[in-house]
């Protein structure tokens, strides 16, 4: 392979994905700890929900046939506790009764209720199992559970769930100029933004980030950190930033050689982030990203995130793309670009502020990336491919 060959994002993802298979580890977690986790086993409904026919409102359960012909001029009177049974919201409807009349649509006359309109069979009637039937498949294995699943699981009486283990993802920033936040900043030094940025993103995505201290641009030192991440820290996947530019200071390529790694690609036909590379060390993947913060995040979202989703047990290997319409004109581009942006409804707008790959603050508030293919300027209203964040 030509070490300077630039391949497409799709080809890079395919090469990385060839190394990826779902983790075989799983664990039991409580329902309260389940949001964000991926199911290792399908969830099957244990019981009918609701477990009995129930009323959706306060009123009286009765038989619709006994209300035929009811009108203001010819009201129907039904005996309480015989023909009409008081019910409240959520309470069982007695066997043999097939509808519920609202309390406010009746009036009381001694031991009778008076109706001035007929009801239909099954009006205001919630059937047993109308929400979930016992034995029904509720959530397949590979489902990433979110808060919207919790009500259904709680209604089934679920206490614990079998979920895939969270991938342990090491994050290693390289560069002699880097200092960890909180440390004294030496002359010419900068604080490491890449490590905390990627670690925070991994945590949001349900991974277990292992943030390693920054290491200098020394191939042997980097190789040692990578080896330790896999052998001592049991990482399943490693992200590195910096040291990927093709040249004499390309310390990641040298580190890969020292580790006898197999290079999957080195160079992507996209900006920012084109120097990115990926290699494997004894079949364990390393995705090496640009040292510029936004460039690192953009390529991670395009190919790192979908690979990690599969590692975490989700079935889809592709990034989640949607198509939105531009709110503003997008200038012509001779190369493929990932552009930080803000989507609202069906439209998307490039984020205000600078778009340089080394800028960090302008990412704040963004909720998507526009995947802008090479081509002429795009007018407002043109459809574009978007990667939601």
């Amino acid at each position: 392979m030509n070490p300077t060959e630039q391949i497409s994002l799709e080809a890079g993802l395919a090469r990385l994905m060839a190394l990826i298979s779902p983790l075989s580890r799983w664990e039991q977690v409580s329902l309260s700890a389940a949001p964000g986790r991926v199911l290792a086993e399908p969830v099957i409904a244990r019981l009918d929900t609701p477990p009995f026919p129930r009323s959706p409102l306060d009123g009286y359960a009765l038989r619709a046939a006994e209300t035929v012909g009811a009108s203001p001029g010819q009201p129907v009177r039904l005996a309480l506790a015989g023909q009409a049974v008081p019910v409240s919201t959520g309470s069982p409807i007695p066997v043999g009764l097939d509808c519920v009349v609202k309390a406010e649509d009746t009036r009381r006359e001694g031991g009778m209720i008076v109706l001035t309109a007929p009801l239909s069979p099954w009006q205001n009637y919630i059937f047993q199992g109308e929400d979930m039937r016992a034995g029904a498949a509720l959530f397949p294995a590979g489902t990433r559970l979110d808060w919207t699943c919790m009500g259904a699981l709680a209604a089934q009486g679920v206490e614990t769930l079998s979920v895939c283990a969270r991938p342990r993802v090491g994050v290693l920033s390289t560069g002699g100029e880097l200092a960890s936040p909180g440390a004294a900043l030496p002359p010419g030094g900068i604080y490491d933004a890449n490590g905390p940025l990627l670690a925070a993103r991994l945590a949001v995505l349900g991974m277990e980030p292992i943030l390693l201290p920054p290491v200098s641009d020394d191939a042997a030192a980097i190789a040692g950190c990578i080896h330790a991440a896999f052998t001592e820290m049991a990482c399943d996947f490693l992200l590195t930033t910096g040291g990927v530019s093709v040249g004499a200071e390309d310390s990641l390529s040298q580190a890969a050689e020292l580790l006898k790694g197999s290079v999957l690609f080195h160079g992507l036909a996209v900006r920012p982030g084109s120097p990115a590379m990926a290699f494997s060390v004894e079949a364990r993947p390393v995705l090496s990203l640009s040292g510029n913060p936004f460039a690192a995040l953009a390529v991670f979202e395009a190919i790192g995130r979908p690979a990690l989703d599969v590692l975490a047990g989700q079935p889809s290997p592709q990034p989640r793309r949607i198509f939105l319409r531009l709110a503003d004109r997008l200038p012509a581009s001779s190369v493929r670009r990932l552009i930080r942006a803000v989507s609202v409804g069906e439209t998307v707008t490039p984020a205000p502020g600078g778009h340089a790959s080394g800028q960090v603050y302008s990412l704040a508030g963004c909720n998507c990336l526009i995947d802008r293919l090479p081509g002429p300027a795009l007018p407002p209203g043109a459809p574009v491919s978007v990667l939601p964040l």
Side-chain angles (χ1 to χ4, degrees):
M1 180 188 303
N2 181 348
T4 62
E5 173 193 12
Q6 288 193 343
I7 62 174
S8 69
L9 286 175
E10 291 76 14
L13 175 59
R15 293 182 186 182
L16 183 60
M17 203 67 73
L19 279 179
I20 304 295
S21 58
L23 296 178
S24 58
R25 306 192 307 270
W26 62 277
E27 59 192 23
Q28 291 283 118
V29 298
S30 66
L31 183 64
S32 63
R37 302 304 297 270
V38 176
L39 284 174
E41 298 177 347
V43 175
I44 307 299
R46 304 172 178 177
L47 70 159
D48 288 342
T49 305
F52 46 76
R54 68 179 181 87
S55 173
L57 46 84
D58 296 339
Y60 302 93
L62 42 85
R63 284 176 287 275
E66 295 185 335
T67 70
V68 173
S71 68
Q74 290 185 312
V76 169
R77 291 173 171 80
L78 301 176
L80 282 169
Q83 296 171 296
V85 178
V87 291
S88 58
T89 301
S91 66
I93 296 176
V95 175
L97 306 184
D98 63 5
C99 61
V100 176
V101 63
K102 295 178 182 178
E104 57 266 34
D105 291 342
T106 68
R107 69 175 188 271
R108 293 280 295 270
E109 290 184 357
M112 311 285 285
I113 64 166
V114 180
L115 290 82
T116 58
L119 278 81
S120 303
W122 317 121
Q123 185 173 340
N124 301 323
Y125 187 105
I126 297 177
F127 291 89
Q128 178 176 333
E130 184 174 311
D131 189 7
M132 293 175 276
R133 279 286 186 189
L138 299 180
F139 303 107
T143 299
R144 185 177 291 278
L145 298 170
D146 61 18
W147 66 270
T148 65
C149 306
M150 294 302 105
L153 294 168
Q156 286 290 311
V158 172
E159 292 182 275
T160 60
L161 292 153
S162 297
V163 297
C164 300
R166 293 188 300 163
R168 291 173 60 86
V169 185
V171 182
L172 176 65
S173 299
T174 70
E177 76 283 7
L178 298 179
S180 296
L185 197 62
I190 60 172
Y191 286 117
D192 174 28
N194 293 343
L197 173 66
L198 290 170
R201 185 61 175 143
L202 290 165
V204 168
L205 295 175
M207 312 299 161
E208 183 181 352
I210 310 297
L211 184 56
L212 307 173
V215 63
S216 64
D217 283 313
D218 177 82
I222 293 170
C225 289
I226 293 173
H227 178 75
F230 286 131
T231 59
E232 299 174 18
M233 301 176 191
C235 290
D236 303 299
F237 194 106
L238 185 65
L239 296 173
T240 73
T241 67
V244 289
S245 296
V246 178
E249 301 302 319
D250 180 13
S251 49
L252 259 298
S253 283
Q254 297 172 35
E257 290 181 11
L258 291 173
L259 292 164
K260 297 181 170 31
S262 175
V263 176
L264 307 177
F265 63 81
H266 191 175
L268 294 171
V270 67
R271 292 182 185 171
S274 58
M277 69 177 292
F279 61 96
S280 64
V281 178
E282 297 181 359
R284 288 167 295 188
V286 180
L287 178 58
S288 296
L289 306 166
S290 168
N292 288 315
F294 176 65
L297 180 76
V299 172
F300 168 76
E301 290 292 329
I303 65 175
R305 177 180 175 182
L308 284 172
D309 280 346
V310 172
L311 192 65
Q314 290 188 264
S316 174
Q318 296 298 323
R320 299 171 179 84
R321 292 178 180 271
I322 59 176
F323 284 88
L324 300 177
R325 296 194 176 275
L326 286 171
D328 297 320
R329 178 181 179 275
L330 201 59
S333 180
S334 60
V335 297
R336 187 176 188 176
R337 294 185 180 276
L338 296 172
I339 302 168
R340 63 204 97 184
V342 178
S343 65
V344 178
E346 298 299 314
T347 63
V348 62
T349 306
H355 283 268
S357 61
Q359 291 183 328
V360 179
Y361 182 66
S362 59
L363 181 63
C366 294
N367 60 7
C368 63
L369 302 176
I370 296 173
D371 186 357
R372 201 266 191 256
L373 297 177
L378 297 175
V384 287
S385 177
V386 171
L387 293 175
L389 297 179

